[in-house]
């Protein structure tokens, strides 16, 4: 390689961000040393630029990702509605007469279902990225629902366990509270969104409250770890699993 | 620190890595000029290396060594918040670590680490797309991977193909549950070993119990 072929970029940050290539026929380090004069100088410049780029990128990502997950979930809800509605209408039509157009409708519904699978996959992926601990305990879908109800990961991380336990059951909670105010007996809900989780759903009714309470306590911790450090702590999942096994045996 | 918990005896097992008898306990630690990064204890010139937090520490405590040299260039995939990277940076004090992490949240902590140390290049990139950082990462002596993803083996091999020097070493921490959550871990591990040995030489492997459940490490070499 001739020296006149390479020149120092005037904007390291944008060069760094665009440094994607097929496999290069040379080693970036050799070139870097040539241009910068020494390994120390090269690494120092590389590191400085890397940190600057990393800052820019994380800032941008952190702001957006939980909104993205929530919006995807809302889109998924709409899509589910549409699919159900269309399927019902299609049935109605088919009862009267099958035709070319009913086949086309069927085809369209199939396509929407494929899109639904893709959406679900993307939600899982996003949730695993922004909330690995919540996702590990709940699975991406339920974790996303919890996030949606809370509004943002920040808000979710500030909720106490007792609130997380009944997120999604607000209506029946307020109903119960209204009854209690009047001095009437009332049933306070023991689970909201998290009821969808098999660890709660599959337990006998009497034990669900205990499981929901335990899970909510772990979720509150998980949400805080997800929000503040974002590192997966596997012991949380195994504690929840152990509790479930204990409850389903006894 | 209590006075009687003084360091009784220490044994060097790698450059800047020591096994230390302290009170009743046996502790793994790296010699480090820097402060605590993830809540680990500092004593004297050492930083404790906690095996339940770092799979590399677990491997070392189980008695297996990869002879990491102080001047090695390292590509680290799945750096997270830099728990293991911080200790590895103590070891390769004359080398460099390209630390790749995909998730922005833990990455902020890694950036702090990179600011403190001189031998860490942080890269917020997807390790399954090595071409995205091929203009930055050079040929390295050692690739370490700890990412709990279904296709983690493919990702590891792709990066080896692009960045590992001939004769270079690789270390992959395999998590059975994330590759296939329904299959028996032993079956998953067998499949992983078969897949790896098609491309690289498998030098050794072992479980990381009791520190990490259903995990193994696999040490490979490119020949």
């Amino acid at each position: 390689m001739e020296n006149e072929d390479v020149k120092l970029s005037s904007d390291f940050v944008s060069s760094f961000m665009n440094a994607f290539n097929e496999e290069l026929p040379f080693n970036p380090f050799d070139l870097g040393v040539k241009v910068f004069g020494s390994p120390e100088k090269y690494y120092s410049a590389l590191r400085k630029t890397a940190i600057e780029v990393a800052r820019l990128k994380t800032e941008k990502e952190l702001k957006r990702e939980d909104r993205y997950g929530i919006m995807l979930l809302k889109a998924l809800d709409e899509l589910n509605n549409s699919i159900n509605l269309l399927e019902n209408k299609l049935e109605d039509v088919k009862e009267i007469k099958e035709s070319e157009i009913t086949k086309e409708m069927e085809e369209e519904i199939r396509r929407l279902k494929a899109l639904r699978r893709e959406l679900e996959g993307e939600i899982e992926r996003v949730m695993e990225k922004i909330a690995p601990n919540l996702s590990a305990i709940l699975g991406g879908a339920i974790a996303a629902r919890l996030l949606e109800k809370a509004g943002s990961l920040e808000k979710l991380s500030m909720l106490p366990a007792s609130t997380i336990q009944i997120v999604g059951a607000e209506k029946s909670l307020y109903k119960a509270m209204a009854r209690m105010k009047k001095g009437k007996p009332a049933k306070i809900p023991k689970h909201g969104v998290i009821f969808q989780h098999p660890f709660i759903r599959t337990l006998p009714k009497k034990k669900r409250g205990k499981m929901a309470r335990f899970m909510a306590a772990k979720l509150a911790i998980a949400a805080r770890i997800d929000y503040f450090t974002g590192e997966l702590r596997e012991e949380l999942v195994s504690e929840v699993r152990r509790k479930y096994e204990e409850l389903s045996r006894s | 620190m209590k006075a009687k918990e003084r360091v009784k005896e220490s044994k060097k097992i790698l450059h800047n890595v020591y096994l230390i008898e302290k009170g009743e306990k046996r502790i793994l630690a790296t010699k480090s000029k820097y402060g605590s990064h993830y809540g680990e204890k500092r004593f004297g010139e050492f930083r404790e290396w906690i095996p339940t937090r770092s799979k590399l520490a677990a491997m070392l405590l189980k008695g297996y060594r990869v002879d990491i040299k102080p001047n090695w260039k390292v590509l680290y995939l799945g750096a997270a918040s830099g728990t293991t990277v911080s200790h590895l940076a103590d070891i390769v004090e004359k080398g460099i670590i390209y630390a790749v992490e995909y998730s922005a949240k833990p990455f902020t902590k890694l950036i702090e680490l990179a600011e403190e140390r001189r031998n860490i290049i942080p890269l917020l990139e997807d390790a399954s797309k090595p071409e995205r950082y091929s203009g930055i990462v050079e040929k390295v002596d050692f690739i370490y991977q700890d990412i709990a993803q279904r296709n983690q083996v493919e990702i590891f091999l792709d990066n080896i193909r692009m960045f590992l020097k001939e004769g270079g070493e690789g270390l992959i921490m395999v998590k059975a549950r994330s590759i296939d959550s329904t299959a028996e871990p032993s079956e998953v591990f067998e499949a992983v070993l078969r897949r790896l040995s098609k491309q690289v030489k498998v030098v050794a492997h072992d479980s990381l119990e009791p520190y990490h459940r259903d995990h193994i490490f696999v040490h490979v070499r490119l020949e």
Side-chain angles (χ1 to χ4, degrees):
Chain A
M1 214 177 327
E2 288 298 315
N3 252 342
E4 51 260 34
D5 288 337
V6 274
K7 63 175 196 293
L8 212 51
S9 163
S10 55
D11 181 356
F12 285 172
V13 169
S14 79
S15 309
F16 193 96
M17 283 175 131
N18 294 311
F20 43 91
N21 290 289
E22 291 304 305
E23 208 171 331
L24 294 173
F26 58 88
N27 196 359
F29 173 75
D30 301 334
L31 184 63
V33 172
K34 206 167 186 174
V35 175
F36 284 88
S38 78
E40 290 74 27
K41 279 184 192 149
Y42 169 61
Y43 280 144
S44 157
L46 187 65
R47 177 173 150 266
K48 237 178 90 193
T49 313
I51 289 173
E52 205 176 331
V53 169
R55 277 254 176 68
L56 282 171
K57 280 170 110 179
T58 43
E59 226 166 86
K60 234 167 58 194
E61 287 238 344
L62 287 178
K63 263 191 226 144
R64 281 193 180 158
E65 289 281 315
D66 59 345
R67 297 282 311 141
Y68 180 57
I70 291 171
M71 293 321 269
L72 285 179
L73 187 72
K74 290 190 170 164
L76 179 66
D77 288 343
E78 289 300 324
L79 188 61
N80 268 325
N81 276 340
S82 306
I83 290 173
N84 290 339
L85 209 69
L86 274 177
E87 270 185 333
N88 284 340
K89 291 292 168 227
L90 178 64
E91 285 306 309
D92 291 349
V93 174
K94 276 206 313 206
E95 254 175 45
I96 302 168
K97 190 183 170 191
E98 289 213 28
S99 62
E100 206 44 49
I101 198 79
T102 58
K103 280 195 195 112
E104 260 178 56
M105 279 173 82
E106 269 173 354
E107 185 49 42
E108 205 54 45
I109 290 172
R110 249 198 300 282
R111 226 172 284 155
L112 287 176
K113 283 183 174 167
L115 177 64
R116 174 165 70 186
R117 274 194 298 280
E118 270 174 50
L119 253 177
E120 285 165 347
E122 177 73 353
I123 290 173
E124 290 269 335
R125 210 185 54 77
V126 172
M127 287 308 296
E128 236 167 66
K129 195 166 142 191
I130 62 169
N133 290 289
L134 287 171
S135 301
I137 298 173
L138 289 175
I142 308 178
R145 184 66 63 194
L146 198 60
L147 179 67
E148 187 223 336
K149 297 275 181 195
S152 72
L153 193 56
E154 186 186 1
K155 285 183 191 153
L156 185 57
S157 74
M158 292 178 186
L159 294 183
S162 55
T163 304
I164 291 180
Q165 191 184 334
I166 49 143
V167 163
E170 287 82 2
K171 220 169 157 183
S172 52
L173 175 71
Y174 293 136
K175 232 173 168 175
M177 277 162 61
R179 281 180 68 86
M180 282 160 77
K181 227 176 170 180
K182 291 181 197 156
K184 291 181 188 164
K187 270 190 181 167
I188 300 167
K190 36 185 181 294
H191 36 53
V193 168
I194 59 173
F195 175 67
Q196 294 164 27
H197 195 283
F199 283 2
I200 295 177
R201 216 177 39 201
T202 60
L203 282 177
K205 262 192 173 169
K206 275 195 158 171
K207 291 176 181 168
R208 285 179 192 165
K210 191 174 262 183
M211 188 66 217
R213 205 163 57 238
F214 186 86
M215 190 184 272
K218 296 300 163 191
L219 288 172
I221 300 170
R224 285 161 213 181
I225 300 173
D226 284 342
Y227 180 65
F228 289 105
T229 78
E231 230 185 316
L232 182 63
R233 295 272 282 277
E234 301 191 7
E235 64 268 23
L236 279 176
V237 193
S238 37
E239 278 168 39
V240 173
R241 187 181 300 269
R242 223 174 297 136
K243 187 74 177 180
Y244 171 71
E245 281 162 5
E246 187 190 308
L247 281 175
S248 56
R249 264 200 312 270
S250 63
Chain B
M1 190 173 48
K2 278 176 256 162
K4 50 183 151 170
E5 277 205 347
R6 285 257 174 73
V7 173
K8 276 186 196 157
E9 200 185 323
S10 66
K11 191 178 130 208
K12 184 174 173 181
I13 59 172
L14 276 178
H15 181 71
N16 278 348
V17 184
Y18 292 82
L19 259 179
I20 296 167
E21 304 284 341
K22 189 164 165 271
E24 298 296 299
K25 288 178 293 181
R26 207 179 52 140
I27 289 172
L28 188 70
T30 52
K31 204 182 256 186
S32 178
K33 295 194 290 254
Y34 301 93
S36 170
H37 178 61
Y38 56 98
E40 79 283 15
K41 281 198 199 102
R42 285 221 45 154
F43 48 97
E45 50 188 342
F46 297 107
R47 282 196 308 129
E48 183 180 5
W49 195 355
I50 306 172
T52 50
R53 299 290 299 276
S54 165
K55 284 160 205 135
L56 185 56
M59 184 195 87
L60 292 171
L61 270 178
K62 291 203 73 174
Y64 190 74
R65 316 259 179 273
V66 175
D67 192 17
I68 305 166
K69 300 278 196 309
N71 63 349
W72 268 11
K73 299 175 176 189
V74 181
L75 173 57
Y76 193 119
L77 307 169
S81 58
T83 303
T84 304
V85 175
S86 73
H87 292 286
L88 200 53
D90 288 337
I91 302 173
V92 296
E93 56 181 353
K94 296 191 193 78
I96 196 101
I97 301 174
Y98 295 91
V100 178
E101 171 57 43
Y102 186 38
S103 176
K105 191 53 73 57
F107 197 69
T108 48
K109 195 93 197 286
L110 185 73
I111 298 175
E112 283 171 27
L113 187 72
E115 279 176 333
E116 181 188 84
R117 313 294 188 104
R118 268 206 238 120
N119 56 352
I120 298 171
I121 311 280
L123 296 164
L124 184 66
E125 292 289 353
D126 183 350
S128 68
K129 299 187 179 70
E131 66 280 359
R132 301 248 348 143
Y133 47 84
S134 67
I136 295 160
V137 175
E138 59 185 295
K139 290 268 185 272
V140 297
D141 305 283
F142 181 43
I143 296 184
Y144 181 92
Q145 192 220 51
D146 179 9
I147 45 176
Q149 262 188 50
R150 186 156 301 152
N151 55 344
Q152 72 167 136
V153 175
E154 290 308 316
I155 296 174
F156 185 55
L157 288 171
D158 284 347
N159 279 278
I160 285 182
R161 227 168 282 135
M162 271 182 113
F163 300 111
L164 194 60
K165 284 179 190 167
E166 218 166 291
E169 315 270 351
L171 196 53
I172 178 171
M173 302 296 167
V174 183
K175 182 183 175 191
R177 218 181 275 283
S178 63
I179 290 181
D180 188 336
S181 57
T182 55
E184 271 299 302
S186 58
E187 285 169 28
V188 175
F189 295 147
E190 259 171 49
V192 166
L193 291 171
R194 262 200 310 277
R195 178 74 193 86
L196 283 170
S197 50
K198 275 186 198 154
Q199 310 270 332
V200 288
K201 182 181 154 60
V202 173
V203 183
H205 60 89
D206 195 3
S207 98
L208 294 174
E209 310 266 359
Y211 307 108
H212 300 271
R213 247 175 91 190
D214 296 338
H215 279 80
I216 58 167
F217 74 82
V218 187
H219 175 198
V220 305
R221 190 171 294 140
L222 189 64
E223 288 185 332

